[in-house]
Amino acid sequence: MASLAYCVLLLVTVLSFSPDSCFCAAHQSKPEHKAALFVFGDSLFDSGNNQYLNSSSGMGAATTKLPYGETYFKHATGRVSDGRVVPDFIAQFAKLPMPPPYLQPGAHHFTDGVNFASAGAGVLPGTFPGAIDFPTQLSYFKAMEKTLRQRLGDKETKKLLGRAVYLFSIGGNDYFSYASKNPKALQIYKRQYVAMVLRNLISVLKEIYNLGGRKIAFQNVGPLGCVPATKAMNPALGSKCSEEPLTLARLHNRALFIAFKKLEKSLPGFKFSIFDYYNALGDRINNPSKYGFKDGKAACCGSGAYRGSNCGGGRNGTAYELCSNPSEYVWFDGAHTTESANHQLAELIWNGPQNITGPYTVKKLFDLA
């Protein structure tokens, strides 16, 4: 009798269970598949790869000691900032762990993403010898893709790479290098150089596309002539920005958008986001108080004019100045923004207005199936 009563009670329970409740329970039990975040680029996005390079190159030396990392991590991590860099915040917004440096020792699963960026990296291999240039970052990505195929199989790897978002900041070092070596180059030669950089950049993107990448987010080149290090090297400018690097940046940014529109038409499924770093950062340099900063021109850390060099004492440990509150500054050192500025920039990349980030925001790229 007891077992019969139990069966009747079970039947009543099942019959009274609404379809909506059943759907909700099933929906909640479904595993959530987050898109991975793969990061490529230069010092603006490097999360610490350079500290694992051969020390003789000097590429990772400065950022492996305080005050780099002091604000958030309380120790140096290889990031060229007082704390987190933009990809760290993008990962946070996407509810992902911070993408670890690809060269970091230990096991990598890669299913949430990884960071290939390297301080000093250029699109062109010869831009900054010792850095992990763009073609080498691509070779690391290819090696990772092979590892994923061995671990997950072809079908799951294709799905993971197709769903992932690819975040880039590259090109600035190529133009810094060119402007320093060719200070009085004619416009025709500048255009030829920009075209060469773009050809090499697009070549890498097409290879990533061929391996499954579809959702590309790019930060354009910033106002290179306005960084403290550039201005410190040109004291005759006074408070003005150096025009040669700015011209190259503008030429690149216009060509980048045109190139991406062509890729969108020629590559099925290609979706892109371009963040107008040039104007977003430029406005914070010129109007710091509008964004909660006290200083948009000098760095928090360094020595000389605008504290434009030698943050951390350089390789020789020479004297430098350090501000008491980095969050009051746009710049942390001579060419890199503070964590506070990085957070604001990341918010614009993630879900900024169309005139700053478009045609897709990175949030929309993550939301795409």
Side-chain angles (χ1 to χ4, degrees):
M1 287 294 291
S3 61
L4 178 60
Y6 173 78
C7 289
V8 171
L9 178 61
L10 181 62
L11 180 62
V12 170
T13 303
V14 170
L15 290 174
S16 64
F17 197 79
S18 73
D20 288 344
S21 300
C22 184
F23 172 79
C24 182
H27 179 71
Q28 288 176 347
S29 65
K30 184 180 178 181
E32 186 179 0
H33 295 287
K34 293 189 177 77
L37 176 64
F38 295 111
V39 181
F40 300 78
D42 51 32
S43 56
L44 300 178
F45 282 8
D46 185 0
S47 62
N49 276 306
N50 277 25
Q51 65 187 316
Y52 305 112
L53 296 176
N54 186 330
S55 60
S56 65
S57 70
M59 291 302 302
T63 57
T64 56
K65 57 185 179 181
L66 292 171
Y68 289 101
E70 66 172 12
T71 297
Y72 181 79
F73 301 100
K74 310 304 179 188
H75 63 92
T77 64
R79 290 169 172 82
V80 196
S81 179
D82 60 304
R84 289 164 288 184
V85 289
V86 164
D88 298 323
F89 289 110
I90 298 298
Q92 177 188 320
F93 302 154
K95 297 181 171 58
L96 291 168
M98 293 183 191
Y102 177 77
L103 295 183
Q104 180 177 289
H108 290 285
H109 295 291
F110 302 124
T111 50
D112 286 325
V114 74
N115 190 321
F116 301 100
S118 167
V123 173
L124 305 177
T127 289
F128 203 144
I132 310 165
D133 57 49
F134 205 30
T136 304
Q137 291 179 36
L138 173 65
S139 72
Y140 289 164
F141 178 75
K142 289 178 176 179
M144 181 210 70
E145 187 258 358
K146 286 182 180 176
T147 300
L148 285 172
R149 287 189 184 278
Q150 291 167 0
R151 188 185 304 153
L152 305 177
D154 291 353
K155 184 178 178 182
E156 284 302 312
T157 298
K158 183 178 179 182
K159 192 186 299 183
L160 186 155
L161 297 181
R163 193 168 53 229
V165 172
Y166 300 79
L167 182 64
F168 300 81
S169 169
I170 194 86
N173 289 320
D174 298 284
Y175 299 118
F176 271 133
S177 175
Y178 183 84
S180 66
K181 296 172 184 174
N182 304 276
K184 298 187 182 298
L186 296 175
Q187 192 77 352
I188 186 172
Y189 296 127
K190 292 176 188 174
R191 290 183 183 279
Q192 288 173 355
Y193 183 78
V194 168
M196 179 175 64
V197 170
L198 260 293
R199 279 196 304 273
N200 282 271
L201 188 156
I202 296 303
S203 174
V204 170
L205 290 187
K206 284 182 176 178
E207 292 211 46
I208 290 173
Y209 176 89
N210 291 336
L211 291 168
R214 293 294 181 271
K215 297 185 280 185
I216 305 297
F218 232 92
Q219 173 171 286
N220 72 15
V221 170
L224 305 176
C226 299
V227 306
T230 303
K231 292 170 72 173
M233 288 188 292
N234 296 275
L237 292 171
S239 62
K240 295 178 181 177
C241 299
S242 178
E243 187 55 38
E244 291 303 306
L246 288 177
T247 300
L248 288 162
R250 289 192 292 265
L251 287 170
H252 171 91
N253 292 343
R254 284 195 291 269
L256 183 72
F257 183 77
I258 293 168
F260 272 48
K261 292 300 287 184
K262 289 179 179 177
L263 289 178
E264 185 181 42
K265 289 180 180 178
S266 63
L267 302 178
F270 181 87
K271 301 286 191 297
F272 74 93
S273 169
I274 293 182
F275 168 52
D276 188 1
Y277 180 56
Y278 182 96
N279 284 305
L281 181 57
D283 202 25
R284 282 159 177 79
I285 292 169
N286 295 321
N287 304 290
S289 60
K290 179 179 169 183
Y291 300 97
F293 300 107
K294 288 186 177 179
D295 196 321
K297 292 186 168 61
C300 162
C301 176
S303 60
Y306 303 100
R307 292 190 186 132
S309 63
N310 202 41
C311 178
R315 300 185 72 178
N316 299 319
T318 51
Y320 65 95
E321 299 173 23
L322 181 66
C323 71
S324 59
N325 187 359
S327 67
E328 295 178 345
Y329 287 74
V330 173
W331 299 101
F332 181 64
D333 71 5
H336 306 92
T337 39
T338 59
E339 179 179 273
S340 292
N342 289 337
H343 186 249
Q344 291 186 14
L345 297 169
E347 286 181 326
L348 292 173
I349 292 173
W350 179 251
N351 201 23
Q354 276 285 308
N355 65 320
I356 293 292
T357 304
Y360 288 86
T361 63
V362 168
K363 182 181 186 300
K364 286 180 181 176
L365 290 180
F366 269 99
D367 289 343
L368 289 173

mmCIF file of all heavy atoms in Angstrom, residues 326-354:
data_model
loop_
_atom_site.group_PDB
_atom_site.id
_atom_site.type_symbol
_atom_site.label_atom_id
_atom_site.label_comp_id
_atom_site.label_asym_id
_atom_site.label_seq_id
_atom_site.Cartn_x
_atom_site.Cartn_y
_atom_site.Cartn_z
ATOM 1 N N PRO A 326 48.371 57.305 -9.421
ATOM 2 C CA PRO A 326 48.339 57.110 -10.873
ATOM 3 C C PRO A 326 46.969 57.334 -11.508
ATOM 4 O O PRO A 326 46.886 57.712 -12.681
ATOM 5 C CB PRO A 326 48.770 55.640 -11.034
ATOM 6 C CG PRO A 326 49.558 55.326 -9.815
ATOM 7 C CD PRO A 326 48.912 56.123 -8.716
ATOM 8 N N SER A 327 45.898 57.146 -10.746
ATOM 9 C CA SER A 327 44.555 57.296 -11.318
ATOM 10 C C SER A 327 44.255 58.739 -11.725
ATOM 11 O O SER A 327 43.283 58.997 -12.437
ATOM 12 C CB SER A 327 43.494 56.812 -10.331
ATOM 13 O OG SER A 327 43.427 57.653 -9.195
ATOM 14 N N GLU A 328 45.097 59.682 -11.294
ATOM 15 C CA GLU A 328 44.911 61.079 -11.696
ATOM 16 C C GLU A 328 45.564 61.378 -13.045
ATOM 17 O O GLU A 328 45.403 62.478 -13.580
ATOM 18 C CB GLU A 328 45.508 62.004 -10.624
ATOM 19 C CG GLU A 328 44.796 61.921 -9.283
ATOM 20 C CD GLU A 328 45.446 62.812 -8.235
ATOM 21 O OE1 GLU A 328 46.604 63.258 -8.462
ATOM 22 O OE2 GLU A 328 44.813 63.048 -7.195
ATOM 23 N N TYR A 329 46.285 60.401 -13.592
ATOM 24 C CA TYR A 329 47.045 60.600 -14.837
ATOM 25 C C TYR A 329 46.492 59.729 -15.967
ATOM 26 O O TYR A 329 46.056 58.603 -15.735
ATOM 27 C CB TYR A 329 48.522 60.239 -14.619
ATOM 28 C CG TYR A 329 49.286 61.249 -13.802
ATOM 29 C CD1 TYR A 329 49.106 61.345 -12.422
ATOM 30 C CD2 TYR A 329 50.196 62.123 -14.409
ATOM 31 C CE1 TYR A 329 49.806 62.280 -11.667
ATOM 32 C CE2 TYR A 329 50.906 63.053 -13.657
ATOM 33 C CZ TYR A 329 50.703 63.129 -12.293
ATOM 34 O OH TYR A 329 51.399 64.046 -11.555
ATOM 35 N N VAL A 330 46.555 60.260 -17.178
ATOM 36 C CA VAL A 330 46.256 59.446 -18.367
ATOM 37 C C VAL A 330 47.422 58.498 -18.631
ATOM 38 O O VAL A 330 47.218 57.316 -18.918
ATOM 39 C CB VAL A 330 46.015 60.355 -19.588
ATOM 40 C CG1 VAL A 330 45.883 59.514 -20.873
ATOM 41 C CG2 VAL A 330 44.769 61.208 -19.385
ATOM 42 N N TRP A 331 48.648 59.021 -18.489
ATOM 43 C CA TRP A 331 49.849 58.241 -18.800
ATOM 44 C C TRP A 331 50.500 57.706 -17.530
ATOM 45 O O TRP A 331 50.664 58.446 -16.563
ATOM 46 C CB TRP A 331 50.878 59.102 -19.539
ATOM 47 C CG TRP A 331 50.393 59.645 -20.841
ATOM 48 C CD1 TRP A 331 49.939 60.905 -21.091
ATOM 49 C CD2 TRP A 331 50.308 58.928 -22.080
ATOM 50 N NE1 TRP A 331 49.573 61.027 -22.408
ATOM 51 C CE2 TRP A 331 49.781 59.824 -23.047
ATOM 52 C CE3 TRP A 331 50.613 57.625 -22.459
ATOM 53 C CZ2 TRP A 331 49.563 59.458 -24.363
ATOM 54 C CZ3 TRP A 331 50.401 57.257 -23.775
ATOM 55 C CH2 TRP A 331 49.876 58.166 -24.717
ATOM 56 N N PHE A 332 50.902 56.430 -17.567
ATOM 57 C CA PHE A 332 51.685 55.917 -16.449
ATOM 58 C C PHE A 332 53.173 56.147 -16.688
ATOM 59 O O PHE A 332 53.874 56.656 -15.838
ATOM 60 C CB PHE A 332 51.427 54.437 -16.198
ATOM 61 C CG PHE A 332 52.217 53.919 -15.019
ATOM 62 C CD1 PHE A 332 51.970 54.423 -13.751
ATOM 63 C CD2 PHE A 332 53.220 52.986 -15.178
ATOM 64 C CE1 PHE A 332 52.718 54.005 -12.651
ATOM 65 C CE2 PHE A 332 53.978 52.545 -14.086
ATOM 66 C CZ PHE A 332 53.720 53.052 -12.824
ATOM 67 N N ASP A 333 53.657 55.737 -17.877
ATOM 68 C CA ASP A 333 55.048 56.025 -18.229
ATOM 69 C C ASP A 333 55.076 56.781 -19.545
ATOM 70 O O ASP A 333 54.049 57.306 -19.986
ATOM 71 C CB ASP A 333 55.909 54.751 -18.233
ATOM 72 C CG ASP A 333 55.607 53.808 -19.393
ATOM 73 O OD1 ASP A 333 54.786 54.171 -20.279
ATOM 74 O OD2 ASP A 333 56.183 52.709 -19.432
ATOM 75 N N GLY A 334 56.223 56.832 -20.186
ATOM 76 C CA GLY A 334 56.388 57.686 -21.358
ATOM 77 C C GLY A 334 55.549 57.342 -22.567
ATOM 78 O O GLY A 334 55.404 58.171 -23.466
ATOM 79 N N ALA A 335 54.975 56.151 -22.616
ATOM 80 C CA ALA A 335 54.188 55.770 -23.801
ATOM 81 C C ALA A 335 53.001 54.876 -23.486
ATOM 82 O O ALA A 335 52.366 54.368 -24.408
ATOM 83 C CB ALA A 335 55.097 55.072 -24.816
ATOM 84 N N HIS A 336 52.700 54.681 -22.193
ATOM 85 C CA HIS A 336 51.666 53.711 -21.823
ATOM 86 C C HIS A 336 50.717 54.283 -20.780
ATOM 87 O O HIS A 336 51.146 54.946 -19.829
ATOM 88 C CB HIS A 336 52.313 52.428 -21.307
ATOM 89 C CG HIS A 336 53.294 51.859 -22.272
ATOM 90 N ND1 HIS A 336 54.645 52.175 -22.218
ATOM 91 C CD2 HIS A 336 53.132 51.033 -23.335
ATOM 92 C CE1 HIS A 336 55.267 51.554 -23.217
ATOM 93 N NE2 HIS A 336 54.372 50.863 -23.907
ATOM 94 N N THR A 337 49.459 54.006 -20.938
ATOM 95 C CA THR A 337 48.414 54.584 -20.105
ATOM 96 C C THR A 337 48.274 53.873 -18.757
ATOM 97 O O THR A 337 48.686 52.724 -18.598
ATOM 98 C CB THR A 337 47.077 54.538 -20.857
ATOM 99 O OG1 THR A 337 46.974 53.290 -21.580
ATOM 100 C CG2 THR A 337 46.970 55.659 -21.866
ATOM 101 N N THR A 338 47.669 54.589 -17.819
ATOM 102 C CA THR A 338 47.419 54.038 -16.488
ATOM 103 C C THR A 338 46.274 53.034 -16.520
ATOM 104 O O THR A 338 45.503 52.975 -17.477
ATOM 105 C CB THR A 338 47.034 55.162 -15.507
ATOM 106 O OG1 THR A 338 45.857 55.833 -15.997
ATOM 107 C CG2 THR A 338 48.160 56.157 -15.325
ATOM 108 N N GLU A 339 46.150 52.287 -15.433
ATOM 109 C CA GLU A 339 45.024 51.356 -15.329
ATOM 110 C C GLU A 339 43.687 52.095 -15.428
ATOM 111 O O GLU A 339 42.748 51.608 -16.075
ATOM 112 C CB GLU A 339 45.084 50.574 -14.017
ATOM 113 C CG GLU A 339 43.907 49.619 -13.867
ATOM 114 C CD GLU A 339 43.918 48.805 -12.586
ATOM 115 O OE1 GLU A 339 44.546 47.726 -12.580
ATOM 116 O OE2 GLU A 339 43.290 49.235 -11.603
ATOM 117 N N SER A 340 43.603 53.273 -14.829
ATOM 118 C CA SER A 340 42.355 54.045 -14.887
ATOM 119 C C SER A 340 41.992 54.408 -16.326
ATOM 120 O O SER A 340 40.828 54.287 -16.729
ATOM 121 C CB SER A 340 42.479 55.324 -14.046
ATOM 122 O OG SER A 340 42.571 55.010 -12.684
ATOM 123 N N ALA A 341 42.979 54.854 -17.085
ATOM 124 C CA ALA A 341 42.726 55.163 -18.495
ATOM 125 C C ALA A 341 42.384 53.892 -19.269
ATOM 126 O O ALA A 341 41.479 53.891 -20.119
ATOM 127 C CB ALA A 341 43.949 55.847 -19.109
ATOM 128 N N ASN A 342 43.100 52.803 -18.977
ATOM 129 C CA ASN A 342 42.830 51.540 -19.665
ATOM 130 C C ASN A 342 41.400 51.061 -19.431
ATOM 131 O O ASN A 342 40.757 50.515 -20.331
ATOM 132 C CB ASN A 342 43.811 50.458 -19.194
ATOM 133 C CG ASN A 342 45.215 50.691 -19.698
ATOM 134 O OD1 ASN A 342 45.425 51.373 -20.703
ATOM 135 N ND2 ASN A 342 46.199 50.146 -19.014
ATOM 136 N N HIS A 343 40.906 51.266 -18.222
ATOM 137 C CA HIS A 343 39.530 50.857 -17.925
ATOM 138 C C HIS A 343 38.533 51.647 -18.766
ATOM 139 O O HIS A 343 37.587 51.077 -19.332
ATOM 140 C CB HIS A 343 39.246 51.048 -16.438
ATOM 141 C CG HIS A 343 37.909 50.538 -16.006
ATOM 142 N ND1 HIS A 343 36.887 51.366 -15.612
ATOM 143 C CD2 HIS A 343 37.408 49.267 -15.946
ATOM 144 C CE1 HIS A 343 35.819 50.640 -15.307
ATOM 145 N NE2 HIS A 343 36.119 49.369 -15.503
ATOM 146 N N GLN A 344 38.756 52.952 -18.874
ATOM 147 C CA GLN A 344 37.862 53.774 -19.693
ATOM 148 C C GLN A 344 37.920 53.358 -21.170
ATOM 149 O O GLN A 344 36.885 53.262 -21.848
ATOM 150 C CB GLN A 344 38.237 55.250 -19.560
ATOM 151 C CG GLN A 344 37.943 55.844 -18.202
ATOM 152 C CD GLN A 344 38.194 57.343 -18.153
ATOM 153 O OE1 GLN A 344 38.340 57.999 -19.196
ATOM 154 N NE2 GLN A 344 38.253 57.904 -16.959
ATOM 155 N N LEU A 345 39.122 53.121 -21.660
ATOM 156 C CA LEU A 345 39.289 52.725 -23.069
ATOM 157 C C LEU A 345 38.637 51.373 -23.328
ATOM 158 O O LEU A 345 37.985 51.164 -24.357
ATOM 159 C CB LEU A 345 40.775 52.692 -23.430
ATOM 160 C CG LEU A 345 41.505 54.041 -23.332
ATOM 161 C CD1 LEU A 345 43.012 53.846 -23.437
ATOM 162 C CD2 LEU A 345 41.019 55.018 -24.407
ATOM 163 N N ALA A 346 38.791 50.449 -22.383
ATOM 164 C CA ALA A 346 38.191 49.125 -22.527
ATOM 165 C C ALA A 346 36.664 49.210 -22.569
ATOM 166 O O ALA A 346 36.007 48.470 -23.322
ATOM 167 C CB ALA A 346 38.643 48.211 -21.394
ATOM 168 N N GLU A 347 36.100 50.108 -21.775
ATOM 169 C CA GLU A 347 34.642 50.277 -21.788
ATOM 170 C C GLU A 347 34.153 50.742 -23.165
ATOM 171 O O GLU A 347 33.095 50.328 -23.638
ATOM 172 C CB GLU A 347 34.216 51.275 -20.711
ATOM 173 C CG GLU A 347 34.281 50.706 -19.306
ATOM 174 C CD GLU A 347 33.840 51.691 -18.247
ATOM 175 O OE1 GLU A 347 34.098 52.914 -18.417
ATOM 176 O OE2 GLU A 347 33.234 51.255 -17.247
ATOM 177 N N LEU A 348 34.945 51.609 -23.811
ATOM 178 C CA LEU A 348 34.584 52.078 -25.153
ATOM 179 C C LEU A 348 34.708 50.961 -26.178
ATOM 180 O O LEU A 348 33.885 50.845 -27.089
ATOM 181 C CB LEU A 348 35.472 53.262 -25.547
ATOM 182 C CG LEU A 348 35.261 54.554 -24.754
ATOM 183 C CD1 LEU A 348 36.311 55.587 -25.130
ATOM 184 C CD2 LEU A 348 33.862 55.112 -24.966
ATOM 185 N N ILE A 349 35.755 50.144 -26.059
ATOM 186 C CA ILE A 349 35.914 49.003 -26.967
ATOM 187 C C ILE A 349 34.761 48.026 -26.775
ATOM 188 O O ILE A 349 34.198 47.491 -27.739
ATOM 189 C CB ILE A 349 37.257 48.286 -26.710
ATOM 190 C CG1 ILE A 349 38.434 49.179 -27.110
ATOM 191 C CG2 ILE A 349 37.338 46.958 -27.466
ATOM 192 C CD1 ILE A 349 39.791 48.620 -26.733
ATOM 193 N N TRP A 350 34.394 47.806 -25.531
ATOM 194 C CA TRP A 350 33.358 46.825 -25.208
ATOM 195 C C TRP A 350 31.974 47.250 -25.719
ATOM 196 O O TRP A 350 31.279 46.471 -26.356
ATOM 197 C CB TRP A 350 33.317 46.599 -23.697
ATOM 198 C CG TRP A 350 32.266 45.629 -23.241
ATOM 199 C CD1 TRP A 350 31.123 45.910 -22.557
ATOM 200 C CD2 TRP A 350 32.270 44.214 -23.437
ATOM 201 N NE1 TRP A 350 30.416 44.759 -22.323
ATOM 202 C CE2 TRP A 350 31.098 43.702 -22.846
ATOM 203 C CE3 TRP A 350 33.163 43.333 -24.061
ATOM 204 C CZ2 TRP A 350 30.784 42.341 -22.858
ATOM 205 C CZ3 TRP A 350 32.854 41.979 -24.068
ATOM 206 C CH2 TRP A 350 31.684 41.492 -23.484
ATOM 207 N N ASN A 351 31.607 48.501 -25.436
ATOM 208 C CA ASN A 351 30.246 48.896 -25.808
ATOM 209 C C ASN A 351 30.148 50.407 -26.021
ATOM 210 O O ASN A 351 29.221 51.044 -25.538
ATOM 211 C CB ASN A 351 29.269 48.456 -24.712
ATOM 212 C CG ASN A 351 27.843 48.344 -25.212
ATOM 213 O OD1 ASN A 351 27.612 48.178 -26.408
ATOM 214 N ND2 ASN A 351 26.894 48.443 -24.311
ATOM 215 N N GLY A 352 31.119 50.949 -26.747
ATOM 216 C CA GLY A 352 31.131 52.387 -26.993
ATOM 217 C C GLY A 352 30.180 52.795 -28.099
ATOM 218 O O GLY A 352 29.631 51.958 -28.825
ATOM 219 N N PRO A 353 29.971 54.114 -28.275
ATOM 220 C CA PRO A 353 29.086 54.607 -29.340
ATOM 221 C C PRO A 353 29.667 54.342 -30.723
ATOM 222 O O PRO A 353 30.869 54.138 -30.875
ATOM 223 C CB PRO A 353 28.995 56.109 -29.045
ATOM 224 C CG PRO A 353 30.233 56.433 -28.276
ATOM 225 C CD PRO A 353 30.554 55.202 -27.477
ATOM 226 N N GLN A 354 28.798 54.368 -31.725
ATOM 227 C CA GLN A 354 29.191 54.028 -33.100
ATOM 228 C C GLN A 354 30.303 54.908 -33.642
ATOM 229 O O GLN A 354 31.102 54.456 -34.459
ATOM 230 C CB GLN A 354 27.963 54.122 -34.018
ATOM 231 C CG GLN A 354 27.107 52.873 -34.036
ATOM 232 C CD GLN A 354 27.739 51.752 -34.850
ATOM 233 O OE1 GLN A 354 28.111 51.949 -36.003
ATOM 234 N NE2 GLN A 354 27.864 50.571 -34.256
#
